[in-house]
Amino acid sequence: MTDPQRIRNFSIIAHIDHGKSTLADRLMQETGALTDREMKEQFLDQLDIERERGITIKAQTARLNFTARDGNTYVLNLIDTPGHVDFGYEVSRSLAACEGAILVVDASQGVEAQTLANVYLALENNLELVPVLNKIDLPGADIDNTKREIEDIVGISTEHAVPISAKEGKNIREVLESVVALLPPPKGDPNIPLEALIFDAWFDPYQGVVFLIRVMNGRIRSHEKIKMMHNQTEHEVLKLGVFTPHGREVRELSVGEVGFVTANIKDLRDVKIGDTVTNAINPASKPLAGFKEVKPMVFSGIYPVDSAGYPNLKAALEKLRLNDSAFTFEPETSDALGFGFRCGFLGLLHMEIVQERLEREFNIFLVTTAPTVLYQVNMVRGEKQMIYNPSGLPPVQHIASIEEPIAHITIHTPEVYLGNLIKLCEDRRGTQTKLHYHSPKRILLEYDIPFNEVVLNFYDRLKSVSKGYASLDYDIVRYEPSDLVKMDLLVNANPVDALSWIVHKSKAHHRGRELVTKMKELIERQMFEIIIQAAIGSKIIAKERIAPMRKNVTAKCYGGDITRKRKLLEKQKEGKKRMKSVGSVEIPQEAFLAALSIDE
């Protein structure tokens, strides 16, 4: 058993791309957790998709042994966390298992939007912070200005800030000394009943459910009976271990320690992230506080390309849900796409990652529909309905008003891109709430923007108009009544339910025009005429026609009366009309994502 005074549990938090994963690599090298032969960049980013995109998606842990200047050996439990706004839930879960955090700020970029968001998460969890200024090897690094920004914007002292270069390995030992000196050891009593917080879990095909715990009180031993407090199920611990960063079995975990548990749990529903594990014979009186339930904000339909793949998709979603409890799913059917699921995500990147993981890890080919947000519909009779699928919108005569979610967005940008960004926000129906110079060349810009305008490629546009320099963070703050309408896409007078949209009335004509033009490019010509229309209720707002392929039936008529040719053309026309009434139009998969690429 390790003396709790010799344990430090800490996370690394930062804005995306400020060097968290590289610093984690250097810390593991400095403490000898990895040999030079084992070392590879972003070691803790285990998913292929993380390594390809260069971003952290899943929080990972590593137990490091470090001998400090005072001659004592400390156990440092490092939890590497994501930086992107969509994975803030992963960060909050990891921080609940820590007493402190290293705040990494890029000395050449300064404080960015998610630096601030992650600091607030850390302060909510009452964590001590150690500021670290990374990338001091870059020619644009400005240590004094970055310290000033941290003190002005974040509001924490930089007296003990450590300037480092994670890439070159400069001052890494100083970071570890600061962790030992400045972060508090865990509190807790090893002699009272076990209370351990589950902060992550995943499914292993050989061992069943594996879950990560942080022991708050008591101790947990191999082969003893444990109980999950949310559903009172009991299990026997088969294997206890720690990641060093390779998995290593241990006999017991005590107060302040972080490790993994397997207990032959086959049913995914038995493990809930945020739940408390206790001893089955001598249980704790009440569970730990856990985490606040996260609410998905972006919804999209996910369907298998082949309807026979529905059971596999359902099993894959259940396994992925265990590993990523921030997304939700429920069954739905579509006339155009058959059986599938309506899934809820925290944001667009989160949606993209979940889809990519489903395709890669479970070999399922998917069709996804354009994302929508959660609307509140106030009915004429007084009741309220939450609508996340446009096809579920009640008839117009029953609706008193529709309210849409408003996002408060924070943009940090160099001054030179300010005009472009203001134009982008105004085009998206935004209302400016703040404009503040936090240094002569850097600006903090705040807007309230309807969230459905943020969901449709706002982030991509922000990056392109600011040449990648602006950073974004957002929060849903309230619902507001708005003049919204449902726009349907009709193909040969049949509505395609998967391509229905809820849009603002002022933008409906523009979006309808763009959508039918896009569909004309994507839908292949048939032997009969195809009419594509965008409609609001019974009013057609845009229309395109795809001409039929036709055989030259008059080729054999040489000379003679024109009526002969006309008769043949009329006969062909009748045939085409008959074909149109029975023929079905195949809509390609790209059409369902075309809505995303409709730009202002």
Side-chain angles (χ1 to χ4, degrees):
M1 174 186 153
T2 311
D3 176 5
Q5 293 300 313
R6 299 270 185 275
I7 296 175
R8 299 290 183 273
N9 294 318
F10 68 99
S11 276
I12 303 180
I13 57 174
H15 182 78
I16 191 167
D17 253 359
H18 278 204
K20 290 178 304 303
S21 298
T22 311
L23 176 58
D25 291 346
R26 293 295 90 79
L27 294 177
M28 288 188 288
Q29 254 179 322
E30 183 67 35
T31 54
L34 292 172
T35 62
D36 289 343
R37 185 175 64 81
E38 291 173 318
M39 195 63 226
K40 60 182 179 183
E41 279 187 29
Q42 295 170 290
F43 186 88
L44 290 178
D45 290 348
Q46 303 286 356
L47 302 174
D48 289 343
I49 188 170
E50 292 180 303
R51 309 187 68 77
E52 283 166 24
R53 288 174 177 243
I55 58 173
T56 304
I57 293 163
K58 289 297 301 167
Q60 299 288 349
T61 64
R63 176 177 171 138
L64 314 173
N65 293 314
F66 173 63
T67 305
R69 281 196 200 105
D70 61 10
N72 292 314
T73 299
Y74 291 85
V75 170
L76 309 181
N77 288 312
L78 154 68
I79 300 171
D80 183 27
T81 60
H84 195 280
V85 58
D86 283 9
F87 304 109
Y89 186 59
E90 284 282 327
V91 180
S92 71
R93 290 187 346 212
S94 306
L95 295 182
C98 300
E99 278 78 35
I102 295 175
L103 171 66
V104 180
V105 180
D106 182 335
S108 64
Q109 301 272 356
V111 172
E112 301 261 33
Q114 265 119 49
T115 312
L116 221 51
N118 288 333
V119 165
Y120 292 150
L121 279 175
L123 295 177
E124 272 175 36
N125 284 285
N126 300 319
L127 300 194
E128 288 290 326
L129 294 175
V130 174
V132 166
L133 313 179
N134 192 16
K135 306 193 186 182
I136 57 168
D137 53 307
L138 292 182
D142 186 342
I143 294 173
D144 294 336
N145 191 47
T146 307
K147 282 186 177 179
R148 207 164 34 248
E149 279 191 17
I150 292 173
E151 292 192 345
D152 290 352
I153 304 170
V154 181
I156 59 170
S157 165
T158 53
E159 185 190 346
H160 300 291
V162 187
I164 67 161
S165 166
K167 187 179 171 190
E168 295 181 355
K170 269 187 201 162
N171 292 348
I172 300 302
R173 189 170 181 85
E174 295 307 311
V175 176
L176 292 163
E177 292 287 357
S178 297
V179 166
V180 167
L182 302 174
L183 300 187
K187 296 182 176 69
D189 185 346
N191 301 313
I192 63 172
L194 169 70
E195 290 176 355
L197 178 74
I198 300 177
F199 66 92
D200 202 0
W202 60 90
F203 189 82
D204 183 290
Y206 303 106
Q207 305 179 85
V209 179
V210 183
F211 53 96
L212 284 178
I213 59 165
R214 152 74 203 268
V215 182
M216 298 297 187
N217 285 304
R219 57 188 74 186
I220 180 171
R221 296 183 181 88
S222 210
H223 301 296
E224 73 178 7
K225 280 262 174 148
I226 54 169
K227 179 158 82 174
M228 305 291 184
M229 292 191 84
H230 89 283
N231 61 3
Q232 302 296 308
T233 54
E234 294 187 7
H235 309 274
E236 184 187 342
V237 176
L238 292 184
K239 190 171 165 188
L240 271 184
V242 293
F243 289 109
T244 64
H246 304 295
R248 175 168 71 80
E249 249 184 278
V250 294
R251 291 191 61 85
E252 90 167 18
L253 291 172
S254 184
V255 166
E257 294 193 285
V258 172
F260 67 86
V261 182
T262 65
N264 199 21
I265 300 173
K266 292 286 183 278
D267 190 348
L268 307 174
R269 288 181 290 269
D270 283 353
V271 175
K272 182 171 184 280
I273 289 173
D275 189 18
T276 304
V277 178
T278 188
N279 190 294
I281 298 156
N282 182 18
S285 55
K286 64 179 196 300
L288 298 162
F291 315 110
K292 61 181 183 202
E293 281 293 318
V294 67
K295 287 193 176 71
M297 294 316 299
V298 175
F299 294 85
S300 168
I302 290 187
Y303 297 83
V305 169
D306 178 6
S307 53
Y310 180 80
N312 293 345
L313 176 59
K314 187 180 181 195
L317 284 168
E318 282 176 352
K319 285 177 184 167
L320 199 58
R321 166 106 172 93
L322 174 76
N323 189 227
D324 180 356
S325 60
F327 95 94
T328 61
F329 64 93
E330 58 181 60
E332 75 167 7
T333 54
S334 154
D335 297 339
L337 297 168
F339 291 101
F341 294 91
R342 175 65 39 171
C343 300
F345 311 92
L346 298 184
L348 274 188
L349 180 69
H350 186 210
M351 175 178 122
E352 223 177 286
I353 297 296
V354 166
Q355 287 165 13
E356 208 163 320
R357 286 185 70 186
L358 283 170
E359 291 187 338
R360 285 176 178 216
E361 294 172 30
F362 302 98
N363 294 322
I364 297 171
F365 295 104
L366 302 172
V367 179
T368 44
T369 64
T372 62
V373 300
L374 195 63
Y375 296 97
Q376 184 172 296
V377 179
N378 300 316
M379 309 296 279
V380 174
R381 289 182 176 173
E383 69 267 30
K384 292 184 190 308
Q385 273 189 32
M386 299 309 279
I387 298 289
Y388 53 71
N389 187 346
S391 59
L393 199 67
V396 182
Q397 61 271 27
H398 299 309
I399 298 174
S401 65
I402 304 176
E403 295 184 17
E404 62 183 345
I406 302 294
H408 181 74
I409 68 166
T410 308
I411 300 171
H412 285 248
T413 176
E415 183 189 37
V416 61
Y417 305 114
L418 181 63
N420 293 348
L421 290 165
I422 287 178
K423 183 177 184 314
L424 173 67
C425 294
E426 300 288 341
D427 286 348
R428 299 294 177 108
R429 301 191 283 131
T431 310
Q432 192 179 115
T433 57
K434 187 177 181 183
L435 196 159
H436 169 65
Y437 279 80
H438 55 71
S439 73
K441 296 276 184 192
R442 306 245 332 147
I443 290 171
L444 170 70
L445 186 63
E446 293 185 14
Y447 264 86
D448 282 354
I449 295 187
F451 191 45
N452 66 355
E453 300 283 352
V454 177
V455 160
L456 284 174
N457 73 4
F458 181 81
Y459 187 68
D460 294 347
R461 298 281 304 127
L462 173 108
K463 285 294 179 193
S464 75
V465 300
S466 67
K467 297 188 169 54
Y469 282 103
S471 65
L472 171 77
D473 184 40
Y474 65 79
D475 231 349
I476 308 300
V477 285
R478 63 182 181 278
Y479 274 80
E480 259 182 22
S482 185
D483 196 1
L484 299 168
V485 291
K486 179 185 167 194
M487 185 177 82
D488 290 310
L489 185 87
L490 312 176
V491 176
N492 283 352
N494 297 317
V496 181
D497 56 355
L499 286 169
S500 291
W501 268 22
I502 294 176
V503 290
H504 194 265
K505 209 169 189 174
S506 65
K507 298 199 167 193
H509 284 75
H510 171 76
R511 291 255 167 95
R513 175 81 260 137
E514 291 268 310
L515 190 59
V516 296
T517 309
K518 201 91 180 162
M519 290 302 135
K520 186 179 180 181
E521 292 167 18
L522 293 169
I523 295 174
E524 289 183 5
R525 282 177 75 187
Q526 308 279 348
M527 293 303 291
F528 49 88
E529 178 187 52
I530 301 172
I531 302 291
I532 306 166
Q533 297 164 312
I536 296 172
S538 57
K539 183 185 174 190
I540 304 297
I541 57 170
K543 177 180 171 182
E544 283 287 354
R545 173 181 177 271
I546 301 176
M549 292 190 281
R550 54 199 309 173
K551 183 181 170 189
N552 186 0
V553 289
T554 62
K556 61 180 182 281
C557 295
Y558 297 104
D561 188 29
I562 187 68
T563 52
R564 278 184 68 204
K565 289 187 178 180
R566 207 164 278 155
K567 199 188 279 180
L568 287 168
L569 289 170
E570 287 298 323
K571 194 175 171 189
Q572 186 185 40
K573 202 168 165 187
E574 281 300 311
K576 299 279 182 204
K577 197 184 279 182
R578 242 191 344 268
M579 238 185 228
K580 184 176 172 180
S581 64
V582 293
S584 63
V585 180
E586 192 73 22
I587 296 176
Q589 290 172 36
E590 304 86 66
F592 297 100
L593 281 180
L596 271 178
S597 56
I598 291 174
D599 214 338
E600 299 302 309

